[in-house]
Amino acid sequence: MAQALHAAIDVGIAGGAFADAAEFVRTRSRPWGEAGVQAAADDPLTIQRFGELAVRLRAAEALLDKAGAALDAARADLDADSAAQASIAVATAKAFADGVAVELGSALFEVSGTRSSLAETNLHRHWRNARTHTLHDPVRWKIQHIGRYVLNGTRPPRHGQI
């Protein structure tokens, strides 16, 4: 359950970074000269990148939802198999959300431009929060447990870190 909360924090950080980046681009960014548009939000390459980031964010949200459903199912009928399935679903959501939070915390500068890096915007908090939070729980161990489970059916350990 605690790991699902950590995955949700990462998804929340990613969502906050995405929303703040979109607002900044709509209201404060200037378009790249070669884009041939009046507003940064009309730059086709910026639009493309926002689309890519939106897909990553929605995937993280969907994996988190799936993990929640697996936890609910395990609670309703707890045994070794349902516990393993829930652990793997949560580990999958956390492993993906970890990277998405850091990616979106960084990509907001890419899409928003130089002015977004000014201290007064406080947009750096998203990257800092994502990086700090994800350091506490290395997902490389979760990936190992996921791989063992899907390849060999090896159940993950039953402790609060998977």
Side-chain angles (χ1 to χ4, degrees):
M1 187 63 152
Q3 290 299 306
L5 173 66
H6 288 294
I9 289 169
D10 291 343
V11 171
I13 291 169
F18 186 80
D20 283 354
E23 177 66 17
F24 196 92
V25 168
R26 283 191 297 268
T27 62
R28 296 186 60 190
S29 292
R30 288 183 272 188
W32 185 250
E34 292 179 71
V37 297
Q38 294 299 309
D42 295 327
D43 179 332
L45 296 180
T46 301
I47 291 168
Q48 174 72 28
R49 187 63 173 135
F50 266 96
E52 293 165 355
L53 296 171
V55 168
R56 306 261 304 141
L57 178 58
R58 300 302 173 251
E61 293 168 342
L63 286 169
L64 185 60
D65 286 346
K66 187 169 180 159
L71 285 169
D72 289 345
R75 264 200 204 116
D77 186 22
L78 185 60
D79 61 19
D81 287 333
S82 66
Q85 290 168 3
S87 290
I88 293 299
V90 170
T92 301
K94 176 66 174 98
F96 192 76
D98 180 287
V100 169
V102 173
E103 178 184 7
L104 277 150
S106 180
L108 74 88
F109 299 109
E110 170 193 335
V111 296
S112 299
T114 306
R115 286 190 287 172
S116 65
S117 67
L118 295 173
E120 68 194 41
T121 68
N122 199 28
L123 292 174
H124 62 283
R125 74 187 186 283
H126 296 297
W127 180 87
R128 186 182 61 248
N129 290 342
R131 186 69 279 184
T132 301
H133 187 256
T134 59
L135 291 173
H136 292 291
D137 189 24
V139 297
R140 60 187 174 270
W141 289 102
K142 292 175 185 349
I143 298 296
Q144 287 288 312
H145 292 300
I146 294 166
R148 285 186 194 103
Y149 183 76
V150 299
L151 186 59
N152 299 318
T154 305
R155 292 183 185 121
R158 288 184 75 172
H159 56 65
Q161 295 177 336
I162 181 76

